[in-house]
Amino acid sequence: MRNKELAEQFYLIAQLLSLTDENPFKIRAYEKSAQVIESLPEAIEEIAKDKEKLASIPGIGKSIAEKVIEYLTTGKIQRLEELKKKFPSGILELLSIPGLGPKRVKLLYEKLGIKDVNTLKEFAQKGVLNTLPGFGEKIVQNILEGIKFVSISEKRLFLFDAMKIVDEIIAEFKNKNIIQIDPCGSLRRRKETVGDIDILCCTLAGKEKSVMEQFVNLSVVEKVLAHGETKSSITTKSNVQVDLRIIPKDVYGAALQYFTGSKQHNIHLRELANKKNLTISEYGVFKITNKTKPICGKTEQEIYSILNLDYIPPELREDRGEIEAAANHTLPKLIERKDIKGDTHIHSNYSDGANTIKEIVDYAEQLGYEWVIICDHSQSLKVAAGLDIPMLYKKIEEIKKMNKNSKVKILCGAEVDILSDGRLDYPDDVLKELDFVIAAIHTGFKQSEEQITQRIISAMENKFVHSISHPTGRLINKRPAYNVNVQKIVEYAKKTAVMLEINAFPERLDLDDVYSKYAKEHGVKLSIGTDAHHVSQMEYIDQGIYVARRGWLEKKDVVNTMSYAELKKFLSLRR
Ligand SMILES: [Zn+2]
Ligand SMILES: [Zn+2]
């Protein structure tokens, strides 16, 4: 599937065009087409076999369709190549800095010749930027903050995208000479973002060479960086580095453990081993007195057990207390996909979702759910087609009717805006008609910590609110969290018995793992919502489960594991 790759080309065109005098509608059209391509559930290269069909997709059209086909056949888009020639490559990095739009980037480039982040930083610190019109003290401060944010988040993939690449590689790889194959590193630990992708495998004896040969020739490969007998590196067409290592069968577990990390977890394990006169490496566990022959290493279980530890699931390996818990046999029994009975946050075509409630219910049945909660936006969120009150009542009626003969039970919910003064976007007599209310901040991100925290607290004090959606508002690689005191939110969530959401949308994952653990430790329940705007996005539930697992959550900590009857009872408790 090359959708993401193609979407990136069009985003790039839009970004570069924004530095020219191009008509804003045209720029918007490129952006729109990128968004459409990105969220297509089918592979664009399949659709593109029929040009008419491709061009007829809303938001694409004839001219974009031609560019898609141009890219798929030549690997390039002429229009983009021209634009790239016009601007130095560092400019794109400048555009990704929050608070620095195209207008300012253009000014910096034209007036001061700034064409990369380092020069920008230098000029900002020296106080040169202040000389430009519109660059006040506060703006410059924001730019410096933005640079910090970009340099941290640079080049890391969303977990969801990294997993897709790995799935494609493994699917294409189907090689009967391979006995076992596993991605390791931060991907196996299900960290929210992933740098390079590391894959381990073990092969039948004598087949190493042919497996490597196949790897460097997979269809995802753009460039082969290294091609060795036991290790090769490639970059994919979406410019991600993937390394494959071939490991001997009898030390596979040791290598898998070692390359899964985290570094801190492994350091702690080595210390523990040393106390027992053992050493651990990627080649196995050895006695300090005999480093030639490993005493174990075939499986990961062996390694943990020789250190008198319970087996530690990869998601917990961050040295956040899991080694102590494994020694005391108090590791949590982590929540699993099979525990999930429903999704608490799905948009229908009543607001900005793509599908009807019926389509959502059918998809939920495929996923094996007992119930779904349809949450559309509330009335003030006009950009997302928020529902006015008459429309909301219409939806409530439709759901009541559908529930009479629906196997999957439907709860009528709403994602209700917390307005900038802390009031909710529907009055109480409307809220009380809903089965489920999540309250969310979508506006006023620039308010002070006190204001934003207070807004959320006042929402929690409303007895009709069940959960707070995406509590920190961050977008991974795009936007830091708004100023919110999460400790205080957790304290009030406990006090008011309001849940906090783990929003499972790949760029949100909000709450994150650390805050989810913190919430659990303070007795707060969590709801996992995919925030799906298309039924295919209901699959994001896995992303939410990964966050929950990394946050040490068990079945009982998460409302999605309740049966329909349990859920209804639980939701009525607050009212
Ligand atoms: Zn939202
Ligand atoms: Zn939403």
Side-chain angles (χ1 to χ4, degrees), residues 257 418 462 495 511 516 528 540:
Q257 197 289 319
I418 305 172
N462 183 308
K495 207 189 269 177
L511 291 178
S516 298
I528 303 180
Y540 292 162

Side-chain angles (χ1 to χ4, degrees), residues 426-485:
Y426 290 129
D428 283 0
D429 62 331
V430 173
L431 293 178
K432 82 175 194 313
E433 299 301 321
L434 292 162
D435 299 315
F436 191 77
V437 174
I438 42 179
I441 287 194
H442 293 121
T443 53
F445 295 150
K446 292 271 174 250
Q447 288 179 342
S448 70
E449 178 178 309
E450 212 190 321
Q451 280 173 306
I452 292 199
T453 308
Q454 194 47 51
R455 271 165 83 187
I456 298 180
I457 290 174
S458 22
M460 289 194 286
E461 279 166 345
N462 183 308
K463 66 174 179 173
F464 299 111
V465 170
H466 292 105
S467 186
I468 302 295
S469 185
H470 42 73
T472 79
R474 63 104 176 240
L475 296 178
I476 300 173
N477 289 354
K478 270 191 209 150
R479 180 176 80 199
Y482 37 64
N483 296 312
V484 58
N485 184 330

Side-chain angles (χ1 to χ4, degrees), residues 130-353:
N130 303 1
T131 59
L132 286 178
F135 281 76
E137 190 85 29
K138 191 146 182 241
I139 300 275
V140 174
Q141 208 48 47
N142 282 346
I143 291 175
L144 281 167
E145 290 288 316
I147 293 175
K148 251 193 261 162
F149 180 72
V150 170
S151 55
I152 300 169
S153 54
E154 209 181 3
K155 275 202 76 184
R156 289 187 68 89
L157 281 171
F158 295 156
L159 173 66
F160 180 77
D161 295 326
M163 290 183 76
K164 228 162 48 188
I165 294 175
V166 167
D167 288 346
E168 275 179 44
I169 290 178
I170 293 182
E172 190 186 336
F173 222 141
K174 263 191 233 132
N175 187 322
K176 53 186 182 318
N177 296 322
I178 293 178
I179 302 169
Q180 193 174 347
I181 183 161
D182 296 280
C184 47
S186 44
L187 189 142
R188 182 157 179 252
R189 301 199 313 279
R190 308 292 190 235
K191 233 181 123 173
E192 61 192 30
T193 58
V194 173
D196 296 343
I197 295 175
D198 292 302
I199 302 178
L200 299 188
C201 78
C202 87
T203 69
L204 294 175
K207 297 295 180 190
E208 294 83 355
K209 219 171 163 181
S210 77
V211 166
M212 269 313 176
E213 195 62 41
Q214 197 193 351
F215 174 65
V216 297
N217 286 300
L218 290 173
S219 66
V220 295
V221 176
E222 167 83 22
K223 206 156 82 192
V224 178
L225 303 173
H227 181 179
E229 277 183 18
T230 56
K231 190 191 163 195
S232 295
S233 300
I234 58 109
T235 54
T236 65
K237 296 203 166 83
S238 46
N239 200 23
V240 180
Q241 184 173 333
V242 184
D243 296 349
L244 179 75
R245 285 186 176 78
I246 297 181
I247 308 289
K249 205 166 121 196
D250 41 335
V251 294
Y252 190 78
L256 188 58
Q257 197 289 319
Y258 178 85
F259 287 110
T260 296
S262 67
K263 200 169 152 203
Q264 295 311 318
H265 175 87
N266 285 356
I267 290 174
H268 194 157
L269 275 194
R270 283 204 291 274
E271 286 168 5
L272 217 61
N274 284 340
K275 284 188 195 141
K276 296 181 188 297
N277 289 320
L278 299 169
T279 69
I280 305 181
S281 73
E282 56 189 290
Y283 306 107
V285 182
F286 300 82
K287 282 193 179 139
I288 284 188
T289 49
N290 177 1
K291 288 191 187 166
T292 50
K293 199 172 167 291
I295 51 172
C296 70
K298 198 167 178 203
T299 66
E300 282 190 320
Q301 278 81 356
E302 280 176 16
I303 294 168
Y304 286 103
S305 112
I306 206 158
L307 298 173
N308 296 328
L309 299 175
D310 291 341
Y311 176 75
I312 301 176
E315 293 94 329
L316 297 184
R317 299 183 196 169
E318 299 291 343
D319 200 20
R320 292 178 186 155
E322 73 280 6
I323 293 177
E324 292 80 354
N328 297 327
H329 312 296
T330 54
L331 280 173
K333 188 179 176 326
L334 298 181
I335 183 170
E336 294 177 40
R337 171 66 180 81
K338 68 172 169 51
D339 299 327
I340 300 290
K341 299 200 166 72
D343 186 333
T344 58
H345 186 167
I346 301 170
H347 293 265
S348 74
N349 62 356
Y350 268 91
S351 67
D352 58 346

